[in-house]
């Protein structure tokens, strides 16, 4: 009770109602007032010394010597590069996450007395070296100790790469659990920096490598990576940052900030399975027959889609084959050659269109050699065909017959020869192709108006000399014959998509280069004659038994040695042998070109002609496509000796796996819910659906190929880190800055 009275009187004193004569309460007030004055005097002193400590103290990070104008910066934000897909959305190229380790031996915390009495480095570098040795396995712990000691002593720089190896999130976890340098101290104190990188991954090795190209740290250099870079790269963003310490910048909101825009995904025309088969068969043929290089093209007749395109080269010194070297020769679109007899079809078509020739018109080629006095040129056939019809001239690939035809119908005047030339040029086969992968190769064929043109040019052009074209030009012309006379431009790309949704942003249009190659009557005659080449002519033996009824043309040409002519001093004979055709003849869907360059000694038993070297590969490609399209009961070399008790299968498309089970005679009990579900066969008669994710939302990718796994993660907007090669057998989910990251382990 007494204390309550005292407190009430003190309160009254502050209200001015306690009399001054009472000395007890005045003394109490004065003592408390002195305390307040002392605190008020102490506060600015505290502020002053705090500023001094922050400016000059041992752990100072503030920028006392930096102009305020330099503390604002505009930083770039890098967008995510788009992926490249096959025609069935298999991943051909995609960005994945990797990490690198760097060290700053001049980091302030290493010698700061505040941290472990200035012994931060000395106390912890050995366990850090041991952890590095454990995850990298390229040096012993002692070797890493010596390496770190030297860096700390010499201080050669501030951003030193500790290893060229990329590390994974699991490696980072191990380092944090086994080294205080990382687990307890940040990079400003320990000097250890973990840098995140986005690295381009090509999960299919050398399949279509030259077409896909390469995107390196120095930028896109070849292929679609280069030509489609303006779509894939996206648009960089910028944001305002303010520096608050020597190493810390904080992003600032500003009306002028620009959000980065991720690149578009590019969907190509390439079929991954077909591409692999074509490459493998091209390699087999080049090895078996000791060719120098080869190229193959598979076109979709109606659209011009390039379903497969291969380039192979044999190094005779090392006996090694280079397949789809990303910076190597792109023979299919960049190699200009004299095509030989495949060009006969072009002149054959032009002659019929210009002169309305009958296929039954007769030509007596004699013994296969004829001298043309006007051009002082001797024309020779490599086999005797005798007295033949115009149709048989093409079927039997007679040089003499073609030369006789152009001389008989178009040699009376220069204007007549020019008229034939105009028809050929009107086809569009001599124009530069503006493809998705740029090529500046201009076909060459002298016109009668050219100052260097001669009558010998007129004669030799009729059977494919004195004219230079790329294989793609030749394939495009035959594709037009197959496509009822409509010439479409070959294309590598069908659409562009938004990365995480696969929403189609833009579709590539089918571009018609020539809507009407020739009259229907001419087209019909040409198609009949090309069918005759396979049924009765130069391709009959090598294409016998082809599962599709085909039409096409063989071609063999000596390769010019410039001013030295067509022979070499060494006695080696350089040839380019090719076959180009389409199938099935009733409703053509595919056009295929195959060509090899050889250099054999005269009289060598090794094949060099288009019929012997290239037609067999054409047949293999046609048969492969036939088997793929008719696989339900017509698979080659499938034998079930006994029904296994258990099936081990990779994850795959449900329809494909059900087909396997049906062919092996299993009673498939699983009811397919969607053709896009991913499943695996786990026992006889059972197809077990592969769950896309568990109840926690964790994506289960075990059993997937790398291509399929990356496609799934890309669709979900999840970054991937890849360790190893093969099939996914393990995975780890982690989070960094709020973003999900999955580490895939393959074997």
């Amino acid at each position: 009770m007494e204390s309550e009275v005292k407190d009430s009187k003190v309160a009254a004193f502050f209200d001015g109602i306690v009399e001054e004569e009472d000395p007890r309460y005045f003394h109490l007030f004065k003592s408390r007032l002195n305390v307040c004055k002392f605190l008020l005097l102490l506060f600015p002193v505290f502020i002053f010394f705090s500023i001094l400590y922050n400016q000059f103290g041992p752990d100072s990070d503030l920028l006392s010597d930096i102009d305020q104008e330099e503390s604002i910066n505009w930083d770039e934000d890098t967008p995510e590069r788009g992926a490249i897909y096959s025609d069935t959305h298999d991943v051909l190229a995609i960005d994945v996450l990797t990490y690198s380790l760097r060290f700053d031996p001049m980091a302030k915390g290493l010698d700061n007395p505040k941290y472990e009495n200035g012994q931060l480095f000395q106390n912890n570098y050995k366990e850090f070296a041991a952890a590095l040795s454990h995850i990298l396995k390229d040096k012993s712990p002692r070797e890493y100790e010596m390496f770190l000691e030297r860096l700390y002593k010499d201080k050669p720089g501030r951003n030193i790469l500790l290893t060229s190896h990329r590390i994974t999130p699991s490696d980072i976890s191990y380092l944090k659990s086994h080294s205080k340098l990382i687990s307890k101290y940040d990079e400003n104190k320990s000097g250890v920096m973990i840098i995140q990188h986005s690295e381009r991954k090509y999960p299919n090795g050398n399949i279509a490598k030259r077409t896909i190209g390469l995107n390196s740290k120095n930028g896109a250099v070849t292929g679609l990576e280069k030509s489609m870079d303006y779509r894939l790269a996206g648009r960089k963003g910028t944001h305002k940052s303010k520096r608050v310490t020597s190493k810390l910048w904080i992003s600032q909101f500003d009306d002028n900030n620009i959000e980065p825009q991720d690149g578009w995904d590019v969907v190509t025309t390439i079929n991954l399975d077909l591409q692999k088969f074509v490459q493998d068969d091209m390699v087999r043929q080049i090895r078996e027959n000791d060719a120098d290089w080869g190229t193959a093209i598979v076109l979709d007749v109606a659209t011009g889609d390039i379903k497969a395109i291969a380039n192979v080269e044999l190094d005779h010194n090392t006996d090694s084959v280079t397949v789809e070297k990303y910076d190597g020769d792109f023979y299919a679109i960049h190699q200009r050659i004299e095509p030989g007899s495949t060009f006969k079809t072009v002149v054959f078509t032009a002659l019929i269109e210009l002169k309305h020739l009958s296929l039954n018109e007769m030509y007596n080629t004699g013994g296969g050699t004829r001298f043309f006095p006007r051009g002082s040129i001797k024309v020779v056939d490599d086999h005797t065909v005798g007295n033949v019809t115009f149709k048989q001239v093409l079927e039997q690939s007679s040089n003499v017959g073609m030369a006789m035809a152009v001389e008989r119908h178009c040699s009376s005047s220069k204007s007549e020869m020019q008229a034939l030339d105009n028809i050929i040029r009107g086809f569009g086969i001599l124009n530069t192709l503006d493809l998705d992968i740029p090529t500046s190769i201009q076909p060459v064929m002298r016109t009668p108006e050219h100052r260097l043109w001669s009558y010998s040019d007129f004669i030799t052009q009729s059977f494919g000399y004195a004219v230079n074209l790329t294989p793609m030009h030749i394939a495009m012309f035959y594709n037009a014959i197959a496509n009822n006379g409509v010439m479409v431009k070959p294309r590598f790309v069908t659409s562009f998509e938004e990365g995480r949704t696969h929403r189609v942003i833009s579709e590539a249009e089918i571009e018609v280069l020539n809507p009407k190659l020739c009259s229907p009557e001419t087209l019909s005659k040409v198609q009949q004659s090309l069918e005759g080449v396979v049924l009765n002519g130069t391709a009959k033996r090598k294409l016998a038994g082809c599962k599709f009824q085909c039409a096409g043309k063989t071609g063999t040409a000596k390769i010019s040695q410039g001013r030295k002519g067509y022979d070499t001093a060494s006695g080696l004979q350089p040839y380019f042998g090719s076959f180009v055709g389409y199938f099935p003849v009733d409703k053509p869907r595919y056009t295929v070109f195959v060509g090899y360059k050889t250099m054999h000694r005269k009289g060598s038993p090794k094949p060099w002609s288009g019929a012997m070297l290239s037609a067999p590969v054409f047949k293999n490609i046609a048969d492969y496509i036939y088997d793929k399209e008719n696989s339900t009961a017509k698979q080659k070399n499938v034998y079930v000796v006994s029904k296994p008790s258990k099936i081990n299968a990779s994850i795959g498309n449900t329809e494909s796996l059900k087909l396997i089970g049906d062919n092996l005679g299993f009673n498939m009990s699983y009811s397919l819910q969607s053709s896009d579900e991913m499943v695996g066969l786990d026992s006889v008669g059972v197809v077990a659906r592969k769950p896309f994710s568990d109840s926690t939302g964790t994506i289960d990718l075990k059993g997937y190929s790398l291509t399929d796994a990356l496609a799934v993660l890309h669709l979900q907007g999840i970054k991937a880190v890849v360790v190893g090669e093969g099939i996914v057998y393990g995975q780890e989910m982690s989070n960094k800055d709020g973003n999900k990251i999955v580490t895939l382990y393959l074997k």
Side-chain angles (χ1 to χ4, degrees), residues 16 26 60 92 159 175 182 248 465 580 590 599 638 705 711 713:
F26 182 77
S60 172
L92 301 179
N159 191 21
L175 289 172
I182 295 181
L248 179 62
Y465 288 86
V580 56
Y590 298 98
M599 181 82 86
V638 175
S705 68
L713 293 175

Side-chain angles (χ1 to χ4, degrees), residues 399-558:
N399 296 341
V400 174
M402 285 302 302
M404 290 175 66
V406 295
E407 186 174 66
R408 179 185 297 179
H409 294 286
C410 296
S411 65
S412 61
S413 66
K414 202 168 187 178
S415 62
E416 228 177 13
M417 289 183 275
Q418 184 64 56
L420 181 64
D421 184 275
N422 291 341
I423 294 288
I424 293 172
R425 293 180 189 279
F427 292 152
I429 193 174
L430 296 175
N431 297 333
T432 301
L433 289 177
D434 181 22
L435 301 177
D436 297 318
I437 296 177
T439 172
S440 59
I441 303 300
Q442 172 68 54
V444 175
M445 188 177 84
R446 290 175 186 162
T447 174
E449 301 299 329
H450 194 282
R451 64 183 182 85
L452 297 178
W453 179 88
S454 67
Y455 190 78
S456 64
D457 289 338
F458 174 68
I459 294 297
T460 56
Q461 284 167 0
S462 70
F463 48 89
Y465 288 86
V467 55
N468 284 268
L469 302 167
T470 70
M472 186 62 78
H473 282 89
I474 300 165
M476 182 180 68
F477 178 82
Y478 281 80
N479 196 68
I481 297 294
N483 197 28
N484 291 318
V486 179
M487 182 179 283
V488 292
K489 185 172 81 172
R491 64 178 185 175
F492 288 97
V493 174
T494 58
S495 64
F496 302 97
E497 296 180 346
E498 189 178 67
R500 297 185 180 182
T501 65
H502 282 328
R503 180 179 66 86
V504 176
I505 299 172
S506 173
E507 290 187 338
E509 295 182 357
I510 299 171
E511 186 173 342
V512 177
L513 300 180
N514 189 341
K516 188 177 181 181
L517 198 70
C518 56
S519 69
E521 294 77 18
T522 298
L523 184 65
S524 177
K525 292 177 181 178
V526 174
Q527 290 172 338
Q528 291 177 49
S529 302
L530 292 176
E531 290 177 43
V533 172
V534 176
L535 295 174
N536 311 303
T538 54
K540 178 180 179 179
R541 188 159 64 93
K542 288 299 180 180
L543 293 186
C546 184
K547 295 180 180 181
F548 281 116
Q549 188 177 349
C550 306
K553 184 71 186 75
T554 55
T556 307
K558 278 188 174 182

Side-chain angles (χ1 to χ4, degrees), residues 565-729:
Y566 290 88
D567 295 312
T568 63
S570 64
L572 296 172
Q573 298 289 322
Y575 282 97
F576 183 73
S578 60
F579 184 87
V580 56
Y582 53 84
F583 53 85
V585 293
D586 54 341
K587 291 183 179 179
R589 295 197 305 277
Y590 298 98
T591 298
V592 177
F593 176 96
V594 180
Y596 284 97
K597 185 258 182 180
T598 57
M599 181 82 86
H600 301 320
R601 290 197 176 277
K602 193 172 183 179
S604 169
K606 295 177 180 178
W608 45 269
S609 69
M612 297 294 290
L613 196 58
S614 298
V617 177
F618 174 95
K619 178 181 180 296
N620 291 342
I621 294 171
D623 286 349
Y624 173 83
I625 292 174
Y626 182 91
D627 287 341
K628 289 283 284 186
E629 294 182 350
N630 301 274
S631 58
T632 53
K634 301 176 182 178
Q635 293 286 352
K636 286 173 55 179
N637 303 323
V638 175
Y639 305 97
V640 181
V641 178
S642 62
K643 188 178 292 187
S645 60
K646 184 175 178 62
I647 300 173
N648 294 318
S650 297
I651 304 306
N653 179 274
T654 53
E655 290 184 347
S656 300
L657 288 170
K658 185 177 186 303
L659 177 61
I660 294 171
D662 289 344
N663 284 334
L664 293 177
F666 298 144
N667 179 23
M668 312 300 284
S669 62
Y670 177 72
S671 177
L672 301 179
Q673 299 177 17
S674 165
S675 63
D676 292 329
E677 286 183 306
M678 305 299 284
V679 303
L681 298 173
D682 61 0
S683 64
V684 175
V686 177
V687 178
R689 185 170 67 87
K690 181 72 175 176
F692 183 75
S693 61
D694 61 20
S695 58
T696 66
T698 301
I699 299 174
D700 183 6
L701 298 171
K702 289 188 287 296
Y704 280 57
S705 68
L706 177 59
T707 301
D708 290 338
L710 291 177
V712 170
L713 293 175
H714 185 64
L715 187 60
Q716 299 297 310
I718 299 175
K719 290 282 190 180
V721 177
V722 179
V723 181
E725 296 180 353
I727 301 298
V728 178
Y729 73 90

